[in-house]
Amino acid sequence: MASIREEILKLKEEIPEGVTLVAVSKFHPAEAIKVAYDAGQRCFGESRVQELLEKIPILPDDIRWHFIGHLQTNKVKNIIGKTSLIESVDTVRLLDLIDKESAKAATITRVLLQVHVAREETKFGFLPEELLEFFLSRRFESLKATHICGIMGMASNTDEEERVRRDFKEIYSIFRTVRDDHSLGLRGFDIVSMGMSGDWKIAVQEGSDMIRIGTRIFGERQY
Ligand SMILES: *Cc1c(COP(=O)(O)O)cnc(C)c1O
């Protein structure tokens, strides 16, 4: 656990200003999160609803929790009001449900839409053309209690740097296309979350302003 503190401090030095570090604590115990917290880390990422709900009450109140996993529609209700950002909204149906439950709970939920460019890897996320179509069709205008803050994506899981870089370029280009289309009238659409333990440097070079680091901080996960 000593190394958790060291890794947090080292990362803080390495990461450029303006890039948010999300410490991905999924599958790691509350004690490990507390070590990172005591090193100054406040933003943590979890991928399972049940695990998140167990950790929240036993950890400090000023932690900002990001949900980064596939969110099942039947669990949405349970996490409304508990997250600082849901990074992994992967369907319009899920988005609409988050909106409905947020309105019911009289809260605003901040989300990112997940885009799927690493075609052979993850199975979740909007395809690039679906995401662009979602914005161009102005489907977001019907949302009452959800703030779309940007997009999240993952690169292919490969050592081939050029492939990874190409994926990040594609994610960033989708982000920029939407952000710079002023006719959409989006406000506060300014987060592009990309980059994990193995590829965050490339992601930052390609424009990322939020990186999600698990293994490098906490070690290998025991599934
Ligand atoms: C698990 C996970 C991470 C962290 O990956 P590491 O390689 O351990 O840094 C980042 N993003 C998402 C969406 C994840 O599910």
Side-chain angles (χ1 to χ4, degrees):
M1 293 233 185
S3 70
I4 295 177
R5 180 181 177 82
E6 275 165 36
E7 288 302 335
I8 291 283
L9 298 178
K10 259 196 279 174
L11 275 165
K12 294 210 157 162
E13 273 179 27
E14 287 175 39
I15 296 169
E17 238 185 82
V19 176
T20 302
L21 170 63
V22 182
V24 176
S25 47
K26 64 187 187 196
F27 294 92
H28 292 285
E31 295 75 48
I33 299 177
K34 191 59 174 36
V35 174
Y37 179 91
D38 289 338
Q41 182 64 24
R42 291 293 178 272
C43 184
F44 292 88
E46 289 285 337
S47 63
R48 296 185 302 178
V49 170
Q50 190 52 38
E51 186 176 344
L52 175 63
L53 295 179
E54 284 166 16
K55 284 171 173 174
I56 289 174
I58 57 173
L59 283 157
D61 283 344
D62 61 343
I63 287 181
R64 297 188 300 279
W65 295 101
H66 287 204
F67 192 82
I68 63 167
H70 175 60
L71 179 55
Q72 288 168 275
T73 47
N74 63 346
K75 299 203 171 139
V76 167
K77 213 186 294 181
N78 303 328
I79 66 162
I80 293 303
K82 303 213 155 82
T83 60
S84 154
L85 187 64
I86 299 176
E87 296 199 26
S88 44
V89 174
D90 52 10
T91 60
V92 173
R93 181 163 168 256
L94 177 62
L95 181 66
D96 285 341
L97 193 63
I98 289 171
D99 194 53
K100 189 173 132 211
E101 293 297 335
S102 302
K104 250 200 240 169
T107 189
I108 303 284
T109 301
R110 299 171 69 245
V111 304
L112 303 180
L113 301 189
Q114 182 172 352
V115 62
H116 177 186
V117 300
R119 277 158 223 267
E120 82 282 20
E121 300 294 338
T122 52
K123 47 187 195 296
F124 299 115
F126 290 83
L127 293 175
E129 55 273 24
E130 286 174 342
L131 196 72
L132 291 171
E133 170 56 24
F134 169 80
F135 284 104
L136 289 175
S137 67
R138 301 181 164 270
R139 279 285 274 106
F140 58 88
E141 285 179 345
S142 61
L143 299 172
K144 294 179 190 67
T146 311
H147 177 184
I148 302 176
C149 301
I151 71 176
M152 183 272 265
M154 279 182 260
S156 303
N157 182 15
T158 167
D159 291 335
E160 220 186 300
E161 183 178 323
E162 278 321 301
R163 176 65 207 261
V164 170
R165 191 176 294 283
R166 204 193 326 145
D167 289 345
F168 287 142
K169 276 188 198 296
E170 187 176 358
I171 297 165
Y172 189 80
S173 146
I174 296 160
F175 167 69
R176 198 181 43 201
T177 301
V178 175
R179 183 197 60 191
D180 294 350
D181 185 344
H182 298 292
S183 75
L184 295 176
L186 287 167
R187 266 173 297 168
F189 185 89
D190 52 17
I191 299 175
V192 54
S193 172
M194 53 185 198
M196 327 204 311
S197 291
D199 57 17
W200 72 266
K201 286 188 180 159
I202 306 171
V204 167
Q205 285 166 2
E206 298 304 334
S208 174
D209 53 29
M210 183 171 282
I211 58 176
R212 310 174 310 271
I213 311 271
T215 310
R216 165 145 177 212
I217 297 170
F218 296 106
E220 295 293 335
R221 290 177 283 273
Q222 309 286 322
Y223 292 106

